[in-house]
Amino acid sequence: MMKKLTLAAAALALSATSSFAATQITWWHAMGGELGKKLDEIVANYNKSQDKYQVVASYKGTYAETMTAAIAAFRAKQQPDIVQVFEVGTGTMMAAKGAVYPVYQLMKDAGAQFDPKAYLPAVVGYYTDTQGNMLSMPFNSSTPILYYNKNVFKKAGLDPNVAPKTWEDVESFSKKIMSSGAAKCGFTTGWISWIQLENFSAWHNLPIGTNENGFGGVDSKLSFNGPTQIRHWDNLKKWQAEGIFQYGGPEGGNDAAPKFYSQECAMVMNSSASRAGVINNAKDFEVGYGMLPYYADVKGAPQNSIIGGATLWVLKGHEAEEYKGVADFFRYLASPEVQADWHQFSGYLPITQAAYELGQKQGYYEKNPGSDVGIKEITLNQPTPNSKGLRFGNYVQIRKVIDEEFQALLGGKKSAKEALDSVVERGDKLIAEFAASNK
């Protein structure tokens, strides 16, 4: 009996030694709810797949809270190995001199398999420097698409299998829908800043700012107050007055989706990652999917959409063995099987061509119509300096300015030109403040 106990104790000690021998990798993230559970599942599967490294994932709140916590932890020399940062925090992370270990350098130093060309160009383009070096690891990327109510379209005498292609279509479809009594409003939208200004500009191949939309330096200026953007905001104001468009609120536009779910509005423009939510809430009607609309007379449109979501940044100040673990974990995260599973579960885009092709082989897109619209948008054309994304300091604050000025426009306090000129003027001051403090 004693011998058995001794053997059991020895086995327990050996097991403890093995678990302690694994190098711990810390990952701070902003994925709550079901997405957080799925993320934990990915981490658990990685930990089971090998015994050299143990990834420990910790939820730290919203994107802004997670980034703030990581910056504070770095100052206190208690930073995690990996932190998830939303796309508009890219400029801030890049300016954190001495804090970031760029992914391309990490993978090279660790001798890990890494090919930036394997990633979808519009995804990787957002997170590379002007020399084409990848700075952070894409994880959850989304892009805006158009959702429409097929039942309402049919009721209005429109073809339920044809989404509007142009803004001219959106206007004429909306008028037909409203005059027929099929729905009270034509369309609504989430994220005025992301969808109706940033993506609108990229989709029409128009510059968002100087220095390749801020990619070329922190001392950039905004430029999305051109004639086409002014025309579009003028139309949004006119369509709001006519009832064709209904404003869904600031930031993410929390009122936009409910207007679509209740069938008050026939169309909504929102993130591709909200697809699962749309399907779950559209119980009484069939959902159609389309690309973002464009103005037919704008040369070069449609170009490609730009992404939202977040990437994983590696922070300096850890041991070389931990970074080998981070590199190995990133290799696992980017594998076609893991990426395809995450994409199909979450509605985020697959970040690699291989993950997209695996989904095609599995028949996922055939069985789930519309699930590849976002992929088609961001891969429609090779990204240009105008359409690869944006990178400005203090851009989180600039998005609040965009919302304020759009509300001033709808409230009749400003014209579209005045509102967009004010966005640029106020935004440029915020960028200049950031540049001055990060020289």
Side-chain angles (χ1 to χ4, degrees), residues 201-275:
S201 299
W203 197 230
H204 290 82
N205 199 19
L206 301 168
I208 294 167
T210 61
N211 289 332
E212 295 189 13
N213 293 347
F215 277 68
V218 291
D219 56 343
S220 307
K221 292 183 182 295
L222 298 172
S223 63
F224 45 28
N225 58 338
T228 305
Q229 291 98 331
I230 290 168
R231 166 193 181 183
H232 184 53
W233 275 34
D234 256 332
N235 280 336
L236 289 172
K237 182 182 181 181
K238 181 190 78 159
W239 292 331
Q240 170 85 3
E242 294 172 357
I244 287 171
F245 163 61
Q246 282 191 20
Y247 178 51
E251 296 186 349
N254 291 335
D255 295 333
K259 288 177 187 291
F260 181 65
Y261 301 152
S262 67
Q263 305 194 65
E264 188 177 349
C265 294
M267 297 171 269
V268 64
M269 279 159 248
N270 221 334
S271 171
S272 59
S274 59
R275 185 176 180 277

Side-chain angles (χ1 to χ4, degrees), residues 161-377:
N161 297 313
V162 177
K165 286 186 178 177
T166 65
W167 279 106
E168 293 84 353
D169 289 341
V170 171
E171 182 176 30
S172 65
F173 285 21
S174 296
K175 284 179 177 175
K176 200 165 183 182
I177 285 161
M178 291 165 69
S179 64
S180 69
K184 287 181 183 174
C185 111
F187 75 97
T188 183
T189 182
W191 294 105
I192 290 294
S193 55
W194 184 46
I195 302 175
Q196 305 302 341
L197 191 53
E198 296 155 28
N199 264 284
F200 176 85
S201 299
W203 197 230
H204 290 82
N205 199 19
L206 301 168
I208 294 167
T210 61
N211 289 332
E212 295 189 13
N213 293 347
F215 277 68
V218 291
D219 56 343
S220 307
K221 292 183 182 295
L222 298 172
S223 63
F224 45 28
N225 58 338
T228 305
Q229 291 98 331
I230 290 168
R231 166 193 181 183
H232 184 53
W233 275 34
D234 256 332
N235 280 336
L236 289 172
K237 182 182 181 181
K238 181 190 78 159
W239 292 331
Q240 170 85 3
E242 294 172 357
I244 287 171
F245 163 61
Q246 282 191 20
Y247 178 51
E251 296 186 349
N254 291 335
D255 295 333
K259 288 177 187 291
F260 181 65
Y261 301 152
S262 67
Q263 305 194 65
E264 188 177 349
C265 294
M267 297 171 269
V268 64
M269 279 159 248
N270 221 334
S271 171
S272 59
S274 59
R275 185 176 180 277
V278 169
I279 291 167
N280 288 339
N281 284 282
K283 299 292 186 191
D284 302 322
F285 62 94
E286 192 181 348
V287 180
Y289 308 87
M291 290 194 188
L292 292 174
Y294 60 94
Y295 286 101
D297 59 353
V298 175
K299 193 179 175 183
Q303 168 54 41
N304 65 274
S305 62
I306 57 177
I307 60 172
T311 53
L312 308 181
W313 291 79
V314 184
L315 299 179
K316 286 187 175 177
H318 296 285
E319 298 295 324
E321 191 57 31
E322 287 179 48
Y323 291 126
K324 282 184 185 172
V326 171
D328 189 66
F329 179 54
F330 281 177
R331 173 201 55 76
Y332 177 84
L333 275 185
S335 65
E337 295 77 15
V338 173
Q339 263 306 308
D341 180 54
W342 168 248
H343 148 62
Q344 291 169 22
F345 170 84
S346 66
Y348 284 108
L349 303 169
I351 59 169
T352 64
Q353 192 65 38
Y356 180 32
E357 287 168 5
L358 179 59
Q360 289 173 315
K361 280 179 195 165
Q362 293 168 337
Y364 175 74
Y365 305 109
E366 268 181 63
K367 293 174 204 159
N368 298 276
S371 54
D372 59 349
V373 169
I375 303 164
K376 287 175 179 173
E377 281 185 347

Side-chain angles (χ1 to χ4, degrees), residues 1-9:
M1 183 72 178
M2 187 70 184
K3 192 174 182 183
K4 282 184 182 175
L5 282 172
T6 307
L7 285 172

Side-chain angles (χ1 to χ4, degrees), residues 80-95:
D81 293 283
I82 308 164
V83 61
Q84 184 186 29
V85 177
F86 55 168
E87 91 284 12
V88 291
T90 302
T92 301
M93 293 302 290
M94 281 185 67

Side-chain angles (χ1 to χ4, degrees), residues 17 54 58 116 140 147 204 241 269 318 332 424 426:
T17 306
Q54 186 82 12
S58 303
N140 56 307
Y147 301 89
H204 290 82
M269 279 159 248
H318 296 285
Y332 177 84
V424 168
R426 293 172 65 190

Side-chain angles (χ1 to χ4, degrees), residues 116-128 304-305 307 350-353 375 378-384 387-389:
K117 291 188 180 72
Y119 296 81
L120 298 177
V123 173
V124 75
Y126 204 113
Y127 302 106
T128 55
N304 65 274
S305 62
I307 60 172
I351 59 169
T352 64
Q353 192 65 38
I375 303 164
I378 66 162
T379 59
L380 189 61
N381 290 295
Q382 190 69 22
T384 70
S387 70
K388 67 179 178 180

